[in-house]
Amino acid sequence: MTTPTSAGPGAAVLAFDVGGTDMKAALLDEQGRMLESTRVPTPLDGERTGDRVVDEVARLAVRLTSAHPDVRPAAAGLLVPGHVDDVRGIGVFAENLGWREFPFRDRAEAALGVPVGFGHDVRGAGEAEHRMGAARGFDDVVVVTIGTGIAAAVFVDGRLYTGGGLAGEIGHDRVAEGPICACGGRGCLEAVASAAAIARRYSLRTGRPIAGAKEVLELMRAGDANAAADWASALDALALGFSHVVALLAPQAIVIGGGLSEAGDELLQPLRERLDGILTFHRRPQLIKASIGADAGLFGSALAARDALAAVGSTAETTIEGETWR
């Protein structure tokens, strides 16, 4: 499948995708093309991180719009990790980032002077895959991101299901007896099969520090038995976790993104075989690699911005630090 390069025609918008380490920002024009994108460190500052993120959003907005004075964004999108209440526009809780009940949407709208579409980072990336990418055309589909953690965007009858901000946390489905997960649980899928967990478990097994799951895969290709064992146990855990998703939701497809998806068929083919071996009468979902890649969050943020603009039907003049956009 061809990687999408445009969000399609619509309003020009700003897009922000906040992660635990970095935050990305981009400006998209009226054809949905990403004119410029940038990445900066997430401004971690304990309980004040939410405020610092909004400050950085405002700074990056001025930087991007100043560099492209002919493009006048009418809205912005902001995606953040953690427990997110999309309806209220609140970052409910992010253990690693420090905020609780932070009113991101209201603060960002006050800082930017435009409507802001707000949501969860994985659900936003899932929306992009559903509207533009590999999940397009499926009414019942789960878009799973496997990176530092594991989470999913769940679509039922073509609509994103959020469950009050808690749906899709399949990374905390118990699939094993151990190890301890950062959430406090034991044997969570994320603690066994995330990219970070695969690397961490190999290091614990061998005493050899490694950079990440990609290195584990390379060692497995070179005949390392410990790497092969870790990779196999991660696949077993993913297949078990996906079988729970299939039994509950019967999705037509499971689309896999995030860093681990770059393993391609070395991930997907053995995962298909394991999942097929668990299922009986169930619908067999297609297992498909996500197509948008690292920019899925930014495109999802841009789509959220356009959705917010459509919801308010805004035609008012908007300003950032005195510079009129429209």
Side-chain angles (χ1 to χ4, degrees), residues 267-316:
L267 171 71
L268 294 176
Q269 188 53 38
L271 189 51
R272 291 185 187 107
E273 295 169 359
R274 283 166 165 81
L275 181 59
D276 190 62
I278 295 172
L279 301 179
T280 54
F281 62 88
H282 309 82
R283 170 189 275 174
R284 262 71 174 172
Q286 297 182 49
L287 295 189
I288 307 170
K289 183 179 182 295
S291 63
I292 300 178
D295 288 332
L298 284 173
F299 278 118
S301 179
L303 294 172
R306 288 179 172 177
D307 289 348
L309 189 64
V312 300
S314 175
T315 58

